Amino acid sequence: MTEAKTITANLTALPDRVGVDGLEDKWRAVWDEQGTYKFNDTRDRKAVYSIDTPPPTVSGHLHVGHVFSYTHTDVIARFKRMQGFDVFYPMGWDDNGLPTERRVQNYYGVRVDTSLKYDPDFKPPFEGTEGKKVDAKDQVPCSRQNFIELCEKLTAEDEKLFEALWRELGLSIDWSQTYHTIGEHPRRVAQKAFLRNLARGEAYQKDAPGLWDVTFQTAVAQAELESREYPGFYHKVAFRFEDGTPIYIETTRPELLAACGALIAHPDDERYKQYFGQYVYSPLFKVKVPILAHPAAEMDKGAGIAMCCTFGDVTDVEWWRDLNLPTRPIIQRNGRIIMNVPDWITDEGGKAIFEETEGKTTFSARKIIVDHLRESGDLDGEPTPTKRMTNFYEKGDKPLEIVTSRQWYLKNGGTDQKLNAELIERGRELNFHPDFMRVRYENWVHGLNGDWLISRQRFFGVPFPLWYPVLEDGSADYDHPITPSEDILPIDPTSDVPAGYTEDQRDVPGGFTAEKDIMDTWATSSLTPQIVTHWEEQDEASKALFKATFPMDLRPQGQDIIRTWLFSSVDRAHLENKCLPWKHTTLSGWILDPDHKKMSKSKGNVVVPDKPIKQFGADAVRYWAAAARLGLDATYDEGQMKIGRRLAIKLLNATKFALAIGREDENHHVSDAAEVTWNPADVTEPLDRAAMAKMALVVREATAALDHYEHSKALEAIENYFWQFCDDYIELVKNRAYGTADATGHVPSEAAVKSARTALGLGLDAFTRLLAPYLPYATEEVWSWMHAGSGSVHRAAWPTPDVYEAAAFKVAPELLTHAGEALAALRGIKSKAKVSMKTPILSVTLGVADDVRESLAGALDDIAEAGRVVGKIHFAAAAAAVRAAKETVEAAREAAKEAKAETEAAAEIIVQDSELGEPPVKKPRK
């Protein structure tokens, strides 16, 4: 027999009424006061569990998707804390970048004008626009610094909303570890990491074609692209040989004809092989261009031959690079046609046509060009409608253009096969949960076609810590950047001055000029493991923290940002730290609306999280979230939340019921306090031991599931047994636990009574701890009744199976199941006979399998007492039991006629039973 471990309970007064309402405010205040979730700054790495918590983008808009994956993480954090780890669980706010800028522009009705000076008295025209979008023409211009101040002001307000939500949800965050991605420390980390990338040759700048968002006026990285269907028209256009013979291409972008550098066909296309190496002239502009072969040409698309313009799409970039074509850009950063006729157009008629398009949007220029093509006879037929897949910035509204500009890049394996292979191998070292998500990482890395573009032409972000010498002709010498020393970081080059220079040398020949670009928000977010662990900070406390927390244990995140946040974090740690930033990653799915569509603000189908929390309680919302498996999408389901609420209420009621036993006086008052011990050695009755045997199995199963980050599997095991424990076990043993005489007048022995009370105490103590990661408020409440003065359940030890195995001593858990089925059969007989559950049964014959009889015999007294059987219970084969059951029904009816006086007693018992709550109708798990 396993050595018994006694649990001592300090019972406190029980409330007259129990419920979940108000528990959030009550316990949140206690947790804050007592520092329940504070990281203790343990120096031993093996004793620490560190979490790289996602810093949510602070945009002021919350929906239930925000509570979803954060609940998954919090379950693991609470579990690890109860396992004895010192859990490092910080929270950050991702408050820089385009989403914040767009919100500030719309909220205050402003836009940046870099030519304006800082105005300390600047007042924006709005303080919130009630969700209405302010047109760019109506936005008031302000200086860059004024705009940044408005960003900081609004994000501070938005962060308060997020923190209030996280606190109400019960996240066990250490709020003293909060950071902001635009704060001083994160800026120092991001700038320091960049300077080291630069020194090692991993960061570099170049003039190259890149994707450009004309709305936000910034370059966009490959990882931020979103391919969307976009309506357009195919135009069949004639290029002509020297003798006027036409060769037709089909294009959706005729406005780029002036930028054409070649016609491209597949090398195996028999239609065009004869023309490779020959020249044709572009329509309208009469520019001579070659016909060339490239394997990326699609023979079955359009005419099978296409014009390559610099640049219409990413394929044009590939052809331009591979075939060494001339660069002929005509699209400006603002999305309009350039203002001067390019020098490659020499035909006078072509010049005149181009002048008509100067400064026009691509839409207006397209109309002008198409009209001229009709007039010249170079348009074959009329344009035909089509829909094409076009690249958008994931947060933008207009198709991206490709613009040549100077940008900063960071190596990520897109141009370096050795680095690509190393990053693939890093991904194989990482534990993905679920594992099938690993392929998304590998597919992304294999598919990279360029390095990571990390510069942005925006305002609210981490500046590149660089200046450039200004040459005598007034131009910047970008080949020789001036870098600061690490000890003065963070800096802003637009206001700080490099060593050896003075402010009056800014932007003058012989002086210096600032790098005005900022880093992409992912360039900072990719360093969250280094930020939160205080990488390369020089004080002793920071050095100790880094040593105790890095590499981190867990990165939880959404599956949709594997290509951005997860991969970029792996890239940065690989380059800087020569290791993975964490050991495990958990990937959550999306939240779907009741029509199984992804919830998003743009679709207008989101649910504000405050609503379900206020309606059902935080524990109920957490239950819904935790019931969903990692990696799979989940439907917003208030039915699941109702089940979670009933589960929390059932725990409160069942615990109150069990703790009151033995503490009631003759007037049914419960004593204020008591100390009891629950010694597994006191569990002597077979049914009690069976309940403990099942508990040992559940503890083992739940622990194994959580160790493998399968929080929903653990919850299912715990919850299923909890309802069986309440519906079967408590019903079977409650009369014995009270120590009252059974239907025949037999009084249970003192040992039998103690056995039931001990099993009830051990069981509910275990359930409180097992459910604590999921229902933190309800479990804290019952723990305070059960273990007054012993601290929080969330600092209590996670259950181990040995305690319950000791109490189970040679009894199988199946006995409880069989006993529950027997009781259900007896109650079914009474229901069918339409008599009270208190009606005595004179004789019972149970049909059970031969291998069950021996174990079930040990629980017959409890079955008989719970089922009000006054005679003997007989065993028989199934067929004989059916006949006996019919006779029992008749006997029950007769007994009911003779026992009308029992009606009142029956009603009293039914009321008492209802206090335990009714089990919910279980829904199949998603």
Side-chain angles (χ1 to χ4, degrees), residues 247 265-278 291-293 299 305:
I247 184 170
H266 195 279
D268 298 333
D269 196 325
E270 296 294 338
R271 294 171 293 178
Y272 303 111
K273 276 186 176 181
Q274 59 183 313
Y275 301 126
F276 293 148
Q278 298 185 32
I291 302 174
L292 304 173
M299 289 189 282
I305 189 169

Side-chain angles (χ1 to χ4, degrees), residues 376-392:
S376 68
D378 292 320
L379 181 68
D380 186 3
E382 284 301 302
T384 56
T386 185
K387 288 192 175 180
R388 58 193 175 103
M389 298 307 293
T390 306
N391 284 324
F392 287 74

Side-chain angles (χ1 to χ4, degrees), residues 634-924:
T635 303
Y636 176 76
D637 187 352
E638 292 188 352
Q640 283 282 85
M641 295 178 193
K642 291 176 183 177
I643 293 174
R645 181 179 177 88
R646 295 176 74 179
L647 177 65
I649 292 172
K650 184 75 171 183
L651 177 66
L652 294 169
N653 280 314
T655 307
K656 179 186 176 185
F657 167 79
L659 295 182
I661 294 176
R663 298 168 64 195
E664 295 178 321
D665 59 25
E666 57 185 17
N667 296 315
H668 303 290
H669 294 136
V670 179
S671 60
D672 287 346
E675 181 177 293
V676 298
T677 56
W678 296 319
N679 187 340
D682 292 330
V683 180
T684 55
E685 297 299 302
L687 189 62
D688 305 332
R689 288 181 168 180
M692 295 296 96
K694 182 65 179 287
M695 182 62 77
L697 291 177
V698 169
V699 168
R700 199 177 294 280
E701 182 179 354
T703 304
L706 287 168
D707 279 338
H708 289 87
Y709 298 88
E710 295 176 323
H711 57 261
S712 61
K713 183 178 179 180
L715 176 59
E716 186 172 10
I718 298 163
E719 183 190 3
N720 286 344
Y721 183 44
F722 176 75
W723 287 114
Q724 183 186 14
F725 189 86
C726 293
D727 300 340
D728 291 346
Y729 178 70
I730 291 180
E731 290 301 305
L732 284 162
V733 305
K734 65 183 179 183
N735 291 324
R736 172 156 58 87
Y738 276 122
T740 56
D742 63 19
T744 64
H746 173 69
V747 177
S749 68
E750 186 176 326
V753 171
K754 191 168 189 178
S755 177
R757 292 181 181 179
T758 301
L760 283 170
L762 290 173
L764 288 166
D765 174 274
F767 279 123
T768 302
R769 287 182 284 157
L770 290 170
L771 288 168
Y774 302 94
L775 312 176
Y777 292 109
T779 53
E780 191 74 289
E781 177 73 5
V782 299
W783 190 259
S784 71
W785 307 340
M786 193 182 301
H787 296 283
S790 64
S792 171
V793 66
H794 305 299
R795 287 286 183 179
W798 182 255
T800 54
D802 55 338
V803 174
Y804 313 101
E805 288 168 346
F809 191 55
K810 295 184 179 180
V811 174
E814 289 77 18
L815 172 57
L816 176 58
T817 301
H818 299 318
E821 291 169 349
L823 178 59
L826 295 177
R827 289 180 167 176
I829 290 171
K830 295 180 184 182
S831 295
K832 190 172 182 180
K834 297 181 180 179
V835 298
S836 163
M837 290 296 119
K838 289 294 291 183
T839 303
I841 296 178
L842 304 180
S843 178
V844 176
T845 301
L846 291 176
V848 297
D850 292 342
D851 58 347
V852 173
R853 292 182 188 179
E854 182 177 351
S855 64
L856 193 59
L860 288 185
D861 287 346
D862 290 320
I863 295 169
E865 174 58 14
R868 294 285 291 170
V869 178
V870 297
K872 189 172 178 61
I873 297 179
H874 302 279
F875 289 127
V882 171
R883 291 193 299 272
K886 292 179 179 178
E887 296 171 2
T888 304
V889 170
E890 294 303 321
R893 286 194 180 119
E894 291 301 319
K897 293 176 183 177
E898 298 173 3
K900 291 182 180 179
E902 293 210 355
T903 303
E904 288 185 357
E908 182 181 338
I909 293 298
I910 291 171
V911 171
Q912 182 181 1
D913 288 351
S914 70
E915 290 179 359
L916 287 175
E918 293 299 322
V921 177
K922 294 302 294 293
K923 290 191 174 185

Side-chain angles (χ1 to χ4, degrees), residues 93 95 179-189 462 490 524:
W93 310 117
D95 40 16
Y179 67 94
H180 310 255
T181 56
I182 200 66
E184 179 180 341
H185 172 61
R187 279 186 288 129
R188 180 163 54 250
V189 170
V462 178
T524 305

